[in-house]
Amino acid sequence: MHRGRPTHARGSALAIVIGLSMTACTGADPGEPQHSAKSRVDGPPPASWCVSGTPSASTTAGKPHRGALHDDFNGDGYSDVAFPVPHGDLSRGKSRRKPGYVAVVYGSSHGLRISSKQIFDQDKPGVPGVGEPGDYYGSSVTTADLDQDGYADLIVGSRENSADEAYGNGGVEDGELRRYHWQGSLSVVWGGRHGLSRSVTLPSRAGSHDGVGSLIVAGDFDGDGAPDVATQVRGGDLRVLSGPFGQDGTPAGGVHDVKGPRKAGMKDLATGDVNGDGITDLVSVGETETGSMRRGDVVYWKGTPDGLAAGVALSGIHGPQDAGHAVAVGDANGDGYADIVTNAFFEFVARDSGAGGSGVEEDEYARKYRLPHLKSGAVVYLPGGKSGPDLEKMTMLNQDSPGVPGVAHKDSGADEEGGTEYFGAGVSVGDIDGDGYADVSVGIPAKDVGGADGAGSVLALRGTAHGLTAEGAQLLTQDTRDVPGVAQGADAFGAATKIVDVDGDGRADLLAGGEVAPDGTPHGARGGVWVFPSTACGVTPKGSIVIGPSTLGAPEQFDSALGADFNS
């Protein structure tokens, strides 16, 4: 998952709306997304990962997946995708209730099948709860076969859901001030042969200010063969629901908390077997606090036969003025150990510490901590190993690294927000070219494109036997040849990315979210999700589509944030 990402330095909130009507999931047609923006044909194509236009010797043809998938809701053998819209409102008009909803589109041999669209919110029959102001249904979503019936299920978090709220009326109801408890909730929508249907609440023991559901992931954290669910709770700890799960949502292994290091605030979670012992580990990124010192940290939560061990902060990755906001896990070097990919931003550059700055100039900070990469953001690659994350083999890449297109520089419109272009704001891991090594997608949502400030871009980096490489890095913008749309200021293209094989050909496709309206209207804040096919030579813009509100019939609303995140 990749939640809590910053937007570009101008402070424009990412707002991507994708609306879905409730339909059956049994149709065979791929559906046609609406192309409301003309594809460009004059921009340069991305670099190829092939030698002389053909796959290299190390690049295989990609093998179609066989067996159950953690994100196949209808069991047809294709991965499906969920788009959480926690700030969305399905009400027509100028509503600001923000109860939230989650949209789902199913995969097929033709890719994402638009005709399969579904939408879930707390006002839909069969979904527990009531859509209320500020519930943020869809704050985080993940997938797993909780009841082990062969169909993946959709787990939905609502970080501020509460039974006691009067948010829409200034906290006053019947003349009395009511407390807003911020307890949060978890629910599951069960998968089946006809797709997702029927939802129940998961017993998360949510209490006042727990914030359950703000970040959630799934994995087998105790190695018993049954999936478990973990959610952030009280900022820096985890609450784990241990499976298997009954049809009423009850976890057979109970519910328990796992402590994090010191006082912390999480930004993102990811799971994978980092130490290769067959048990899922968990990785979080965010801030930890010791006394008056606050710093960004990567925290490693080792999976054991007794469940997740207490989180341990990994030193030497981030400095005290540096923070990571996204993390993904996958085996980029093919050694059987899952690797960690996160990002690093220099948060403050202003001298005036009284105005929110650090009192430290960026160049001075970079020299002191030997991290010159950070002025526009960086991607941190941390290989896994038998003992867990291997800090000695950590590498960092940014736009000044050989092979990466562009130049790292501060955004001219920034002040103490750091001036970063947010290189790495959206990271995802998956095997794009089918060669057996996981590749990495990187969002750069505040990157200037031509004369368009903050238009944004997306980068694809290859995994190799030697780890993540910038050689042959593929850059995509809305000005790239055959990409729908036109790069405009504050589009924030690349605010989120996801690598997933939606057509089952053994090569993972690339999804990217952005703020621009699909019809090219600047600052439309309606957004879209771009879908790029994959080949043995990497990502290709040929045949790419953009999915937007008009494609799927949702109300076009400001600040609805679809495409700002995807399911893990």
Side-chain angles (χ1 to χ4, degrees):
M1 304 294 294
H2 313 298
R3 282 140 307 274
R5 297 184 184 87
T7 54
H8 51 76
R10 289 167 182 79
S12 173
L14 176 70
I16 305 172
V17 180
I18 183 172
L20 306 175
S21 60
M22 187 76 165
T23 61
C25 303
T26 56
D29 62 295
E32 289 295 332
Q34 179 172 327
H35 289 268
S36 55
K38 183 179 179 180
S39 296
R40 295 183 63 89
V41 296
D42 55 344
S48 173
W49 286 354
C50 295
V51 178
S52 300
T54 60
S56 64
S58 63
T59 303
T60 61
K63 297 180 180 179
H65 182 87
R66 295 291 181 266
L69 296 165
H70 75 94
D71 51 3
D72 180 9
F73 302 130
N74 58 359
D76 62 357
Y78 300 100
S79 290
D80 309 314
V81 181
F83 306 91
V85 194
H87 291 78
D89 192 336
L90 296 179
S91 304
R92 302 282 172 171
K94 299 180 179 180
S95 171
R96 289 185 174 273
R97 297 188 315 136
K98 299 182 180 180
Y101 64 90
V102 178
V104 175
V105 179
Y106 289 73
S108 75
S109 60
H110 300 281
L112 289 181
R113 183 160 47 94
I114 307 304
S115 62
S116 68
K117 55 188 180 288
Q118 287 183 290
I119 190 166
F120 299 93
D121 69 356
Q122 292 182 99
D123 289 332
K124 185 170 296 299
V127 176
V130 177
E132 296 175 301
D135 277 355
Y136 301 117
Y137 180 83
S139 298
S140 181
V141 294
T142 191
T143 60
D145 184 5
L146 294 189
D147 56 359
Q148 298 183 292
D149 64 352
Y151 301 98
D153 309 306
L154 177 68
I155 304 104
V156 182
S158 306
R159 65 180 172 88
E160 295 177 20
N161 196 37
S162 175
D164 184 17
E165 52 186 70
Y167 179 84
N169 192 32
V172 177
E173 187 171 295
D174 297 330
E176 296 183 3
L177 181 66
R178 300 185 66 184
R179 296 183 180 275
Y180 190 66
H181 290 296
W182 308 82
Q183 62 195 50
S185 68
L186 295 175
S187 60
V188 58
V189 187
W190 299 113
R193 185 166 63 92
H194 300 293
L196 292 167
S197 64
R198 198 176 65 82
S199 180
V200 298
T201 299
L202 297 177
S204 60
R205 296 195 327 215
S208 181
H209 298 282
D210 275 354
V212 164
S214 56
L215 297 173
I216 53 175
V217 287
D220 184 6
F221 304 125
D222 52 14
D224 66 352
D228 313 307
V229 175
T231 177
Q232 175 197 31
V233 64
R234 295 185 299 276
D237 298 332
L238 294 174
R239 180 157 297 165
V240 179
L241 287 66
S242 297
F245 290 76
Q247 281 287 307
D248 62 352
T250 301
V255 181
H256 63 279
D257 288 358
V258 184
K259 285 291 184 181
R262 303 185 293 274
K263 183 178 180 180
M266 294 182 191
K267 300 292 186 181
D268 201 9
L269 304 176
T271 60
D273 188 3
V274 178
N275 63 356
D277 64 354
I279 303 176
T280 307
D281 307 310
L282 186 148
V283 181
S284 66
V285 292
E287 293 180 335
T288 60
E289 189 175 298
T290 303
S292 62
M293 178 65 71
R294 182 182 294 268
R295 59 173 293 139
D297 269 318
V298 175
V299 178
Y300 176 58
W301 315 68
K302 181 182 178 181
T304 76
D306 296 319
L308 290 175
V312 176
L314 305 179
S315 61
I317 297 175
H318 295 106
Q321 294 302 135
D322 178 19
H325 292 261
V327 65
V329 175
D331 188 3
N333 60 8
D335 64 356
Y337 301 100
D339 309 318
I340 299 169
V341 180
T342 184
N343 59 2
F345 300 138
F346 186 88
E347 293 254 292
F348 303 107
V349 297
R351 273 287 184 186
D352 183 3
S353 57
S358 65
V360 180
E361 290 287 356
E362 183 175 348
D363 292 340
E364 176 186 337
Y365 169 84
R367 287 193 300 272
K368 181 176 180 180
Y369 293 99
R370 299 181 182 179
L371 297 173
H373 315 72
L374 299 185
K375 61 184 176 182
S376 66
V379 167
V380 180
Y381 170 66
L382 183 59
K386 187 174 182 179
S387 300
D390 192 339
L391 290 168
E392 292 184 358
K393 296 181 180 179
M394 182 184 73
T395 60
M396 300 179 73
L397 297 171
N398 83 325
Q399 292 176 97
D400 286 341
S401 299
V404 176
V407 176
H409 59 79
K410 289 187 288 188
D411 184 349
S412 60
D415 45 32
E416 70 271 7
E417 290 297 323
T420 179
E421 293 169 319
Y422 290 119
F423 182 91
V427 294
S428 184
V429 178
D431 189 0
I432 292 172
D433 56 357
D435 66 351
Y437 301 102
D439 309 303
V440 175
S441 57
V442 180
I444 322 173
K447 183 70 175 177
D448 297 344
V449 178
D453 293 348
S457 58
V458 173
L459 193 70
L461 301 172
R462 289 187 65 186
T464 73
H466 302 290
L468 192 63
T469 179
E471 182 179 355
Q474 295 184 302
L475 184 70
L476 295 166
T477 76
Q478 289 181 88
D479 281 354
T480 301
R481 183 182 304 171
D482 295 324
V483 175
V486 177
Q488 299 180 103
D491 279 355
F493 177 74
T497 68
K498 180 176 176 63
I499 300 177
V500 56
D501 183 6
V502 295
D503 57 8
D505 66 353
R507 301 188 186 102
D509 310 295
L510 173 61
L511 278 60
E515 185 173 318
V516 66
D519 62 3
T521 304
H523 309 294
R526 293 171 289 173
V529 174
W530 281 254
V531 183
F532 297 98
S534 59
T535 72
C537 299
V539 177
T540 177
K542 292 183 178 180
S544 60
I545 62 172
V546 59
I547 301 171
S550 58
T551 310
L552 299 167
E556 297 179 348
Q557 298 167 320
F558 183 80
D559 194 23
S560 291
L562 184 138
D565 196 15
F566 302 103
N567 63 283
S568 61

